[in-house]
Structures are given as structure tokens and as C-alpha cells.
Amino acid sequence: MDDIKRMLKYVRPYWLTFAFAFAAMIMGAVCETAVGALLVPVFDQFMQSAGKGSTTIFSLDKLIPGDDWYRAWITISALMLGFLAIKGIAGYISGYLMAKIGQDAILNLRQELYDHLLQQSAVFFERHRSNHLVSRLVVSCGAIEHTFSTNLRDVIREAVILVFLMGATFYLNWRLALGSLLLGPIIGMLTSGFSRRMRGLADVSLEGNRQLYDTAQETLSNIVVVKAYGAEKRRLTNFLDNARTIAAANLRSAAIGATSAPVLELIGGVAIVVFLYVGLLEINSGRVEPAQFFAFLYFLFRSYDPMRKISRQHNEITKGLVAAKDVWDILDEDDRLPERPDAVKLGPLKDAISLRNVSFHYSNSERSILSKVDLEIPKGQTVALVGKSGGGKSSLTKLIQRLYDPTSGSILWDGVDLRDATVLSLRKQIALVTQETVLFNDTVRNNIAFGRPDATDAQIAEAARVAFADDFIDTLPD
């Protein structure tokens, strides 16, 4: 229930749009009921003499001429086509508006999740593999979007239709309608049982999809290493293991879904048989007109269709709730670098960067990477850090950028502790050149100006010249 409330928080800003969509759903349900109500005058034309029409819902029987079958046929046809046209228009409006709500809500969710990830410290990314985070942004949010745009829309629409159809049965014969309510607890228990099993399988499927995405991304990103060690078959085996797990879970889920609908239909069929017998008794006793009884049967039988659809959508919504829980787990975990309210803004280096008794170890290990390091780096001096792999060279540069905070000790920028300065002002003073080639899917200009988006064209051209990149850039197509 908490997951549903949290999901609805993203829909709440669009309550007015939802109100219009809901009104369109009600209009569609009214037209659906009116079409069924026309069965009463239709049966009257076959079963009764003129002028003895049975009463029906919305008093539609008063609009049907009782003394001329041809005029009656024209009127019934016009009403039926009109109701169907209005129902189609209402269905389009409700479907479009609910899709818009779903897209807007998931856009806000993705924005919130992505911004949350960008604000986290490097410690956060030690605990979470990037592939899993991307999976939550794409796969999990996609499942939630489908829940908003499709599943939730269908549940609400079918629920409204069900209310009107059941209302029609009570209008036509309240005694038989009360008897039909005995099916409610049976259907509820079956739906609940199917839902519990589906939720467990949805967990397995979603986790399998994350593992599959992870395996594929790792393999294709490191294809040179894979080929160099002849590891293609091993990586394929890993991929297929995950794919088979997903397939097995989805197949079992499909089996449950394929079982639920026939079971509910069978229960409905048994109910129809029973009601046929009871209805014949009612007709023979004169308590109900034949046309009204057959209309009652239509509404009762028609009501099982929204029940079946709601049951199916309930299974799909369960998958969306599982995906939502994965997203909430990320949003609820906040590991940002602390920044003081009165933090100062750093300017360009004037004196020196100083490390005072700095020690450091990563959060996922107690092994000390740096221990009581003292270092003075004056302005304008070039310093090379040399040592064996794992000696702490990269860790030290990350501390200077304040990607991490020291376990103990302090790092000073012109005498200002980095923890007393704003992170953004520090990062603006540092240029990072990594060992790996990093290119974003953007223009050459924007890649060069990535650390300084407001740079002029002249400054960008000068940077390219200093990096000896201008010659090959000139050969690129515009």
C-alpha cells in the first residue's frame, strides 16, 4: 500500500487532467450501459405485441415507437450507433489523457532519480554498479510508466464499467443481482492468490533483466579483453543463464495469467447456468418480463469481462510495484558529500595545495590506502606521483578533487580546508585528464567545453590547438 501511495504522489499534480479522463470514462460506461439497455426494446419487438414494451434503464423504452416495428428499428439503430460513437470518443479522450499523465509522471520520476544519482558522492557508486543504476533508470522506470499509462487506466476504466453494469443488474432485478454478489468473495480470493504468485515471479524476472543488462554491457564494453582471452563462450554462457532464468519466470507468470482468466470465466459460466434456471422461475411466476431477464443476463455476463481484465491488470500492476520498490531503494539512499551552509567559494590557486596528516581508506574496505601523508604542492610546480599499482596515487588525486573526504587529516587550498569550501567552486579550479579516452555523445565543441560550457569559440579553438587536436578536427564533416 505504501508503494501505491508513493507512486500516486507523481500523479497528484495532474489531478485536473485525471478528472477529465475520469469523466470521459464515466461517459463511456454510461454509453456501454445504454447499448445493453436497448436489448429490452429489441426483445420486445420479437416477443411482445405492440404497445406492451417493458421498462428499461434510462427510460429508453419511452423513445421507441411501440406501434411500428420499422420506426422502432430506425430509432433503436440510431440510438445504438450514437451511443457507440460517443463511447469511442470518450475512450479516445480518456486513453490519451491517462497516457499523458503517465508520460508526465514518469518524466518527473526519471528526472528526480537522475538528479539524485548525479548528486551522490563517489562512495555511493562504490556500492552500486553503474549497470544496475542504469537498469533502474530505464527498465524499472519503464515498467512504472507502463503501469501509469496502461494498467492503471484500464483498471479504473473497467472498474467504472463494472459499477454501471452491476447497477443495471440491480435495476432490472435486485433479487438476482444480490445472488450474483455471492461470487465476489470467491473471485477476490482467487485474484489475491494469483497476485501473490505473480509478485514473486515479477521479482525474479526484474532481477534477471538487470543481470542480463549487466552481463551484456560488461561484455560489449570490454570486447577487446574478452576476445584477447578467448572468453566469448564463457560470456555467452553467463548471458544465456540469465536469459533462461528470465524466460522461466516469464513462462510461469504467463501460465498463471493464462489460468486466471479461464478459471474466472468458468465460474461465470456456472453462475450463468444457475441464473438461467432461477430466471425461468421468475418469468413463469410473472415477477419479471422475459426481455428484462435476458437484458439482465447480458449485463451480468458482460460484467465478468471487466472482472477478468481487472484481474489481468492486477498482475501487471504487481510488476510495476516491484519495479517501483527498486527505484524507491535508490531514492531513499542519500550519500552526498556534506557541504557547510557557510561554505566559502574558492578562487584560482594563489599559494599552494597542502595535505596535512592525510589518511584514507575506502568505505568497502578497512585496508588503509593512504596513511599520514604530508605534502605541499606550490602553485606552478609540476608533481608526479610514482608508485606501484594500488599505492594510492589515483586515490590522492580524487581526494584533492574532493570526490572523497579523508578518513583523517585535512587538505587545504590556499589555507582553506576543502570541507569548508563549496564543491562546485573547487571543481571549477581543476582540470582532469584521465588515462582512458572519454567522449560524450555530443558535438566536438561541447566535448572540448565540457568543463567550461560558457567558453567562447576562440577559447575552444585554442584548447584544441594546444592539445594537437585541431588537425584531425578540421578533417571531420560538419
Side-chain angles (χ1 to χ4, degrees), residues 219-239:
T219 302
L220 298 178
S221 298
N222 301 288
I223 192 64
V224 174
V225 177
V226 172
K227 288 185 173 296
Y229 290 97
E232 292 91 342
K233 288 186 177 180
R234 279 179 286 152
R235 299 306 297 175
L236 177 60
T237 299
N238 292 341
F239 183 86

Side-chain angles (χ1 to χ4, degrees), residues 97-152:
L97 292 179
M98 289 299 292
K100 187 177 188 305
I101 291 172
Q103 293 298 328
D104 290 343
I106 205 64
L107 177 62
N108 292 337
L109 176 60
R110 277 199 170 111
Q111 179 181 348
E112 180 182 347
L113 179 59
Y114 197 54
D115 180 65
H116 179 79
L117 292 174
L118 292 176
Q119 301 302 321
Q120 300 308 301
S121 68
V123 176
F124 176 88
F125 293 96
E126 286 178 24
R127 293 194 297 269
H128 300 281
R129 303 179 69 173
S130 60
N131 299 336
H132 286 183
L133 297 176
V134 172
S135 176
R136 282 164 169 78
L137 271 170
V138 179
V139 179
S140 298
C141 286
I144 299 172
E145 185 273 328
H146 187 70
T147 299
F148 276 135
S149 299
T150 304
N151 305 132
L152 188 61

